[in-house]
């Protein structure tokens, strides 16, 4: 891979056997959106949606959701299911001590040159109906099973504040 834009990740970039939990990113040389997870049992699921650019409209906000339901991974784009993993892998998403990062880059690509807003991390698999609901009415920060929520309304410089009590 020649690189891409990391939109949201808990991943350490230190080589082929990187310490990872999850990542949502674009893959430059494949025109793909990826949702990768590493499970605590050593298994991983790497889901790719291609071609990604055919779904994008310039100067338009888009909503991207990666879901792991305990068996399969799914990518929703603007509330519509666009990709699901073909094989299941049971397990819990691996926890690492590496921090969550947003709008990063890897490989031969500069950092993300776009806007991000209303990023949320959940301890439960959201349904399509819940995803569509949160697209129109973002979380407040106090919802059950909401592990993290960054609305980019508070903070300064390169720091966005988590709006949950988990922050």
């Amino acid at each position: 891979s020649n690189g891409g834009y990391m939109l949201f990740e808990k991943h350490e970039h230190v080589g082929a056997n990187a310490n990872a939990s999850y990542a949502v990113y674009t893959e430059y040389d494949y025109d793909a959106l990826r949702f990768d997870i590493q499970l605590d049992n050593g298994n991983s699921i790497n889901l790719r949606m291609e071609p990604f650019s055919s779904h994008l409209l310039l100067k338009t906000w888009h909503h991207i959701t990666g879901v792991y339901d305990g068996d399969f991974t799914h990518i929703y784009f603007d509330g519509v299911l666009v990709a699901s993993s073909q094989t299941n892998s049971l397990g819990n998403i691996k926890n690492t001590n590496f921090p969550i990062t947003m709008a990063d880059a890897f490989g031969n690509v500069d950092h993300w040159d776009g806007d991000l807003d209303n990023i949320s991390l959940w301890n439960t698999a959201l349904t399509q109906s819940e995803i569509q609901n949160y697209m129109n009415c973002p979380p407040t920060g106090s919802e059950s099973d909401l592990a993290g929520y960054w609305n980019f309304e508070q903070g300064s410089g390169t720091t966005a504040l988590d709006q949950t009590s988990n922050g």
Side-chain angles (χ1 to χ4, degrees):
S1 175
N2 288 328
Y5 298 108
M6 286 292 180
L7 302 177
F8 184 78
E9 66 176 332
K10 188 171 174 79
H11 190 282
E12 184 177 18
H13 302 273
V14 292
N17 296 317
N19 193 13
S21 291
Y22 46 80
V24 176
Y25 61 100
T26 67
E27 198 171 28
Y28 179 75
D29 47 341
Y30 291 103
D31 187 18
L33 176 68
R34 298 248 334 227
F35 175 46
D36 295 351
I37 61 169
Q38 182 76 35
L39 302 177
D40 58 4
N41 61 15
N43 292 334
S44 62
I45 302 176
N46 304 309
L47 181 59
R48 179 184 282 144
M49 174 189 121
E50 7 177 6
F52 179 52
S53 62
S54 67
H55 290 81
L56 298 175
L57 299 172
L58 293 178
K59 301 183 188 276
T60 301
W61 283 100
H62 293 287
H63 191 271
I64 298 169
T65 306
V67 174
Y68 173 62
D69 62 16
D71 284 319
F72 298 93
T73 56
H74 311 279
I75 296 175
Y76 292 83
F77 188 83
D78 290 338
V80 176
L81 179 64
V82 293
S84 291
S85 56
Q86 298 301 307
T87 58
N88 69 326
S89 190
L90 300 175
N92 295 310
I93 295 176
K94 180 181 174 183
N95 191 16
T96 67
N97 292 327
F98 205 72
I100 291 172
T101 58
M102 300 171 211
D104 203 356
F106 70 97
N108 302 325
V109 177
D110 291 330
H111 290 270
W112 175 253
D113 184 21
D115 295 325
L116 298 175
D117 199 13
N118 295 324
I119 293 178
S120 58
L121 179 65
W122 297 81
N123 285 327
T124 189
L126 297 180
T127 65
Q128 185 171 16
S129 176
E130 290 170 321
I131 290 166
Q132 291 170 347
N133 181 55
Y134 288 122
M135 284 175 52
N136 297 315
C137 186
T140 63
S142 61
E143 289 79 1
S144 175
D145 291 320
L146 182 61
Y149 173 56
W150 299 266
N151 64 6
F152 299 92
E153 304 290 329
Q154 290 81 24
S156 62
T158 59
T159 302
L161 300 179
D162 183 355
Q163 300 302 299
T164 70
S165 60
N166 304 321

